[in-house]
Amino acid sequence: MRKFSAVLLCMLLLGTMLSACSGGTAPKKEAEGSGANNNSNTGNTSGSEDITKKKITIKIHYPTPDLKVMRAQEDDKIKRFQAEYPNVEIIKDDWQYKIEEIGVKMASNEAPTIFNTFATEANFLVEKGWVADITDLYNNWKYKDQMNPVLQDQFVINGKVYGLAYNGYVVSTVLNKKLLDAKSVAVPPVDWTWDDMLNTAKNAANPAKGVAGIAPMGKGNEAGWNWTNFLFEAGGEIEKNEGGKVTATFNSEAGIKALDFYKKLKYEANAIPKDWALGWADAVNTFQQGRTAMVMAGAADVIEPALNQGGMKPEDVLTYPMPAAEKGGKHTGILGGNYYVINPNATKDEQEMAFRYITFDYFSEKGLQALEANIQERKTNGKYYVPQLMDYFKADSDFGKKTQAIYDKYDNIYKYNPEITALLDGKPEAQFGTQDYYAEMSNVIQETFSKKDMDSKAQLDTAAKNVQEKVFDKLKAQ
């Protein structure tokens, strides 16, 4: 969910990056010595002439003024990059990708050489011709086989590469085992279903003591975002794009099934908080405070405060994929991701140098050193380090193994069940009107939790009509 990318996405590179981050740009870590030669190695695909001898100018994606720490980190990267490539002039551009602005940027030739975008935009940008084909550059990059395919494949279209992942997440469910144990509730199987979630939530709830079995987000756009995971699990879609016309499709049988499941959690299981109007931070805090047995979000964003602020122990915090609607179904969770792409209007030399800049700090040994220092500092302070469930690199890659080797040295590392990764099924957010759709669905979720006899089909039909008329009918999709 883009609105929450600063919270949900920014921590994904903590295992390899130096410090805190935000949803608009990736955290930067220091490269070791000759960063470009070590990390970017593209084999000079632009021609026989040495690209390091040419005067080249690239306009890069730069953090917005409010992100002072990020700007300092980017400035440091620029300095190190230009020490390696003194022939390159770098222009900073803090424009942040917006679907309603990219067309104008491209038409006026004002788009940066490198710009950020989201997992949702791959097909759109490729179809419009607004992103460069970097297949050759990617294939000549020595680290390509170590990239996490779950994230990277979002920008591989018809076998061609159009972007580089730098962070992402798949929505998961985090369980408080201590609350389950308190009521002698069995831990559900990792390959679980909606029925398993319903029964676990029902049995773990203790309304008399103010303990919920599950705390779905119930206000703000995050309410619609949380529910959309169930829409996807039921086989539904938010919208369809045919012939340039975007049509709302979430008022489907799958949508009704997903909304009815929310009604079961509320009225059949009596499992959600009495005060159900929880925003993202409210739901996470409820879990941290031991007042709900389950919450749905990016796993690390829940676990980090639970362990380091809520006083919980790693063995009491279990991470699960989202449940499948039925046995044998997919464990679909919303896949959010941020990507770097290259302007197709740039020259081949500019595109290659842009690629080298993007990858300059990927797979950095300095990043590993910073990671270990971070873990050591946390151990000294009696805190836990919580890795991300997903990272831009594969867990079984050389870099992933080096990272794991560091984790193995310390006892203050949160460890995920290895079965989880195999079950994760990430599905990108809708391409058009995502936030408007989430906001409309938040109203529906509130109706669901406040009116027992609420008609799911009627509510979804009204919501779809509103989104269609207010948003989709005003779009000219391609």
Side-chain angles (χ1 to χ4, degrees):
M1 184 177 180
R2 295 176 196 170
K3 179 179 178 182
F4 294 101
S5 60
V7 181
L8 292 171
L9 301 179
C10 72
M11 295 175 65
L12 194 62
L13 297 185
L14 280 176
T16 57
M17 300 292 182
L18 255 176
S19 59
C21 58
S22 75
T25 186
K28 305 302 174 190
K29 54 183 180 292
E30 295 184 13
E32 179 183 31
S34 180
N37 287 342
N38 289 336
N39 293 341
S40 299
N41 192 17
T42 59
N44 189 20
T45 62
S46 59
S48 58
E49 186 178 352
D50 187 352
I51 195 172
T52 66
K53 305 300 182 184
K54 299 180 181 181
K55 184 65 177 177
I56 298 172
T57 299
I58 60 173
K59 185 187 291 186
I60 67 163
H61 169 75
Y62 192 67
T64 51
D66 57 307
L67 302 173
K68 295 180 181 179
V69 173
M70 297 306 302
R71 282 197 163 194
Q73 292 172 341
E74 196 71 31
D75 289 340
D76 177 66
K77 178 181 176 180
I78 292 170
K79 181 179 179 180
R80 291 182 286 105
F81 186 83
Q82 289 184 316
E84 183 70 29
Y85 296 105
N87 61 308
V88 178
E89 178 186 2
I90 293 177
I91 299 174
K92 304 171 184 177
D93 190 325
D94 63 7
W95 175 70
Q96 307 296 301
Y97 177 88
K98 295 181 179 63
I99 192 171
E100 65 271 20
E101 295 179 3
I102 183 62
V104 174
K105 287 284 186 179
M106 284 294 175
S108 61
N109 202 29
E110 293 181 350
T113 318
I114 300 167
F115 59 93
N116 73 311
T117 189
F118 312 107
T120 52
E121 309 303 288
N123 283 291
F124 171 69
L125 291 171
V126 171
E127 289 172 1
K128 296 294 289 185
W130 290 340
V131 61
D133 177 351
I134 59 171
T135 305
D136 289 342
L137 292 167
Y138 186 82
N139 286 340
N140 284 317
W141 183 40
K142 68 180 181 179
Y143 290 110
K144 65 182 176 64
D145 293 331
Q146 296 191 45
M147 291 290 283
N148 183 343
V150 175
L151 295 179
Q152 183 57 34
D153 284 357
Q154 300 303 314
F155 263 79
V156 178
I157 310 295
N158 296 324
K160 295 184 178 181
V161 183
Y162 293 94
L164 285 162
Y166 66 88
N167 63 26
Y169 68 96
V170 173
V171 173
S172 306
T173 306
V174 184
L175 283 69
N176 183 334
K177 186 176 182 296
K178 201 170 182 179
L179 291 181
L180 269 62
D181 291 344
K183 293 199 66 182
S184 300
V185 179
V187 173
V190 175
D191 186 13
W192 64 336
T193 65
W194 286 8
D195 284 344
D196 292 323
M197 173 179 271
L198 181 71
N199 291 330
T200 302
K202 179 180 180 178
N203 294 328
N206 194 340
K209 293 186 176 181
V211 175
I214 188 169
M217 296 167 194
K219 73 174 181 181
N221 287 20
E222 52 265 56
W225 170 75
N226 238 186
W227 175 81
T228 297
N229 292 278
F230 296 93
L231 172 69
F232 288 164
E233 289 151 24
E237 299 287 345
I238 297 169
E239 61 196 34
K240 65 179 179 180
N241 175 10
E242 294 179 345
K245 179 176 175 57
V246 179
T247 305
T249 61
F250 58 90
N251 58 327
S252 58
E253 288 301 316
I256 295 170
K257 182 178 179 179
L259 201 56
D260 283 347
F261 180 69
Y262 260 35
K263 291 167 74 172
K264 288 183 178 180
L265 289 173
K266 165 69 173 175
Y267 301 108
E268 179 182 317
N270 192 25
I272 73 171
K274 182 179 179 180
D275 298 323
W276 46 259
L278 304 176
W280 188 93
D282 302 320
V284 171
N285 287 339
T286 296
F287 186 88
Q288 174 189 325
Q289 295 161 4
R291 294 189 289 113
T292 184
M294 287 184 275
V295 71
M296 299 168 289
D301 299 303
V302 178
I303 300 167
E304 172 79 24
L307 298 185
N308 292 325
Q309 297 165 31
M312 298 174 69
K313 300 298 182 183
E315 59 269 23
D316 297 327
V317 183
L318 308 178
T319 302
Y320 275 56
M322 290 298 295
E326 298 173 351
K327 191 66 177 176
K330 292 184 177 181
H331 296 270
T332 306
I334 292 174
L335 171 67
N338 286 318
Y339 295 77
Y340 284 128
V341 295
I342 297 175
N343 191 329
N345 296 326
T347 67
K348 289 298 182 182
D349 285 339
E350 290 167 349
Q351 289 183 20
E352 178 169 342
M353 199 55 73
F355 185 93
R356 294 191 182 200
Y357 184 85
I358 292 170
T359 59
F360 191 69
D361 280 345
Y362 279 43
F363 301 97
S364 167
E365 293 296 328
K366 287 290 186 182
L368 292 175
Q369 294 172 15
L371 167 64
E372 186 159 16
N374 187 348
I375 294 170
Q376 290 173 340
E377 180 180 9
R378 285 171 179 253
K379 184 172 177 60
T380 299
N381 295 328
K383 301 294 184 181
Y384 292 96
Y385 181 85
V386 183
Q388 290 293 331
L389 189 54
M390 292 176 61
D391 225 319
Y392 74 86
F393 54 83
K394 292 192 292 188
D396 61 354
S397 66
D398 289 343
F399 193 78
K401 290 175 181 176
K402 290 179 181 178
T403 302
Q404 187 60 48
I406 293 175
Y407 295 158
D408 291 342
K409 292 167 60 177
Y410 298 91
D411 60 4
N412 64 322
I413 306 292
Y414 179 83
K415 294 179 173 61
Y416 296 99
N417 183 338
E419 295 179 47
I420 294 170
T421 304
L423 292 173
L424 288 175
D425 178 56
K427 185 176 178 64
E429 295 170 290
Q431 184 175 323
F432 297 97
T434 307
Q435 297 303 324
D436 298 286
Y437 152 75
Y438 284 149
E440 189 67 35
M441 275 309 305
S442 293
N443 295 330
V444 176
I445 300 307
Q446 291 172 10
E447 285 288 306
T448 301
F449 288 159
S450 60
K451 298 178 181 178
K452 186 175 183 179
D453 59 351
M454 188 272 292
D455 186 325
S456 295
K457 184 179 187 306
Q459 283 291 325
L460 287 172
D461 284 344
T462 299
K465 183 175 183 292
N466 289 340
V467 174
Q468 188 67 47
E469 294 177 350
K470 296 176 182 178
V471 183
F472 294 161
D473 285 346
K474 299 178 181 180
L475 293 173
K476 288 188 177 180
Q478 297 294 329

